Amino acid sequence: MSENGQTALGSARRLRPSHRHRSHTMSTAFRFRALAAEPFAALFDYSDAQLQTIDARRMTADTHPGFPCRVSLRDAVVGETVLLLPYAHHNVASPYRAAGPIFVR
């Protein structure tokens, strides 16, 4: 206990900053850009077995929002058919190569 009657723990609690009342604004140059439809158009004619060979699958949107299309940059409506497929969004010969799943409608 210190001279003012505070314990070390009590002092530490008072000195800890409170983040509950702070407002944080993030400013970035990050933008979503639509992908061209042409590379994906023929995939809608693939059978489910053909889609499996490229690790893709046909799905029916069952919630809205929840199926964001990377071509139209809009969510599919409930009942709409979409394709879920892997997409290399940073396809470079480096350790920073990156890919992830996307929906296309």
Side-chain angles (χ1 to χ4, degrees):
M1 192 173 294
S2 69
E3 290 178 14
N4 66 4
Q6 293 291 318
T7 64
L9 182 57
S11 298
R13 283 187 184 145
R14 281 194 334 234
L15 296 176
R16 197 175 309 148
S18 172
H19 297 289
R20 289 182 292 195
H21 302 291
R22 291 187 184 175
S23 174
H24 296 282
T25 303
M26 187 168 117
S27 176
T28 70
F30 184 80
R31 288 190 291 173
F32 285 98
R33 289 192 178 173
L35 299 175
E38 293 78 24
F40 307 105
L43 298 178
F44 285 91
D45 294 329
Y46 280 28
S47 68
D48 289 343
Q50 289 172 308
L51 288 172
Q52 279 185 324
T53 65
I54 60 167
D55 298 322
R57 67 180 62 151
R58 188 178 331 274
M59 300 179 72
T60 302
D62 59 1
T63 60
H64 184 271
F67 294 81
C69 176
R70 286 288 283 128
V71 172
S72 67
L73 299 182
R74 296 181 186 264
D75 269 277
V77 297
V78 173
E80 188 174 359
T81 299
V82 296
L83 298 179
L84 174 63
L85 59 133
Y87 181 75
H89 59 271
H90 193 63
N91 196 10
V92 296
S94 94
Y96 295 101
R97 181 183 324 208
I102 62 168
F103 290 106
V104 177
R105 53 189 278 249

